[in-house]
Amino acid sequence: MTFKIVQKVAAIEIASSGGISTSAPIPMKTGYIMITPTQNSYIEVGPNPGVNTSTSVFVPANNTIVIKEEWGSKGFVGIETGTSTTIIFPEGTGGGFEVGETVSISGCSPIGINTNFATITSVDNRTSYDSYHNTRLTLDWNTSSISEVTNPEGELRKITRVAAYNSSSTPNKIHVTEIQVNAYS
């Protein structure tokens, strides 16, 4: 198997035996996450991963696993601020996102409106003549302090995080990289 590095993620460092740590949110571009711990580890991947030594994936020291996560992104043309944030997609395109998914917002101005972690709380999927036909969704991202959106066009992208449990008595460094898998060698 050959692969291309799509994005490097800051390594997860765990200083003690039995320690648990979680990566920062990773905006998914391909959905393939390559994980290599320097010590024996239990691994979970997801928006809010919880490691369990009975059910999580065990990865021996210096071995690599590739986990496939769901990914997706879509450009949007409008944003409404408030205690929750509404994202507006181009008419006739639909959003492609579901309630409960965790996403990032990028490309908007001012910069304070962008975020790397927000959860979708509703999708307007009504199809009557006076509805939005999946072109609007609401996030639990409080943007009420933003007085004016100067560039409402941006990108919504699904995110994930990697959590690790150190099963070794020595410090552990878990290397995380998003890759693109090439079927041809």
Side-chain angles (χ1 to χ4, degrees):
M1 167 175 64
T2 61
F3 60 88
K4 175 184 176 185
I5 295 173
V6 175
Q7 67 175 315
K8 296 177 184 176
V9 178
I12 302 167
E13 297 194 40
I14 304 173
S16 62
S17 175
I20 298 174
S21 188
T22 304
S23 72
I26 305 166
M28 303 301 295
K29 296 178 181 175
T30 66
Y32 289 96
I33 304 292
M34 184 170 66
I35 302 165
T36 307
T38 59
Q39 302 297 327
N40 292 342
S41 302
Y42 289 90
I43 303 292
E44 281 291 337
V45 178
N48 294 299
V51 179
N52 181 320
T53 57
S54 298
T55 58
S56 297
V57 176
F58 177 76
V59 183
N62 299 311
N63 279 270
T64 297
I65 63 167
V66 175
I67 296 178
K68 174 67 173 131
E69 280 291 291
E70 188 176 320
W71 71 280
S73 67
K74 185 159 185 77
F76 58 86
V77 296
I79 191 164
E80 295 175 357
T81 60
T83 55
S84 59
T85 301
T86 300
I87 301 296
I88 304 166
F89 295 106
E91 190 172 322
T93 64
F97 293 91
E98 301 293 329
V99 171
E101 291 182 321
T102 309
V103 296
S104 66
I105 298 173
S106 62
C108 296
S109 298
I111 292 174
I113 202 161
N114 297 309
T115 182
N116 64 5
F117 193 86
T119 301
I120 298 171
T121 57
S122 71
V123 176
D124 188 340
N125 56 10
R126 297 173 294 146
T127 57
S128 65
Y129 70 92
D130 62 344
S131 63
Y132 294 110
H133 302 272
N134 285 331
T135 60
R136 290 182 185 228
L137 58 81
T138 304
L139 306 173
D140 67 352
W141 175 236
N142 186 342
T143 52
S144 59
S145 65
I146 307 293
S147 58
E148 180 183 357
V149 178
T150 55
N151 176 18
E153 296 182 14
E155 181 182 66
L156 203 65
R157 183 174 291 276
K158 291 181 185 178
I159 66 102
T160 198
R161 297 189 300 178
V162 176
Y165 171 90
N166 186 11
S167 183
S168 172
S169 59
T170 57
N172 195 350
K173 190 174 200 175
I174 298 90
H175 301 278
V176 180
T177 307
E178 187 175 13
I179 61 171
Q180 176 182 343
V181 177
N182 184 356
Y184 304 103
S185 298

